[in-house]
Amino acid sequence: GGDEFLLILQPSKISIKKLKERIKKIENTLQEMCGMPITISYGYVAHKEILRHADKDTVIENIVQIADMRMYKQKNAKKVVK
């Protein structure tokens, strides 16, 4: 178990790939500092995907649902690797 956080970032020129690389560096640094395995699992939704949701009443719910699904997919993949 762990904590879950929601970050909402403004659209930028930083790609999802670059953000993933930064998160991996943070994960590695935390492991080195703590001397124990630490994993960070995350989900994301790109700005382009948000624009696909026309129904403004459910857009936030849909964004959270997509990000949550991706986070758990990643979390489960890490369990298989161990």
Side-chain angles (χ1 to χ4, degrees):
D3 295 320
E4 292 187 17
F5 301 92
L6 173 65
L7 299 176
I8 299 175
L9 306 173
Q10 293 182 348
S12 70
K13 295 181 181 184
I14 298 173
S15 68
I16 298 286
K17 181 180 177 184
K18 288 284 185 196
L19 285 173
K20 288 179 176 183
E21 289 170 0
R22 286 184 183 182
I23 292 170
K24 186 64 182 166
K25 284 182 183 178
I26 292 168
E27 185 178 67
N28 291 338
T29 300
L30 288 171
Q31 286 185 35
E32 289 174 17
M33 289 172 55
C34 296
M36 58 188 289
I38 293 175
T39 59
I40 300 172
S41 298
Y42 54 89
Y44 61 90
V45 180
H47 186 255
K48 293 179 276 187
E49 294 174 290
I50 295 169
L51 296 177
R52 290 186 206 148
H53 298 284
D55 182 4
K56 292 179 183 169
D57 293 333
T58 61
V59 70
I60 297 297
E61 185 178 318
N62 289 337
I63 291 168
V64 172
Q65 189 175 36
I66 292 167
D68 206 42
M69 176 189 67
R70 289 178 176 164
M71 179 189 68
Y72 280 104
K73 182 178 179 183
Q74 184 183 74
K75 197 176 262 195
N76 290 332
K78 287 181 179 183
K79 288 179 184 177
V80 171
V81 172
K82 288 183 180 181

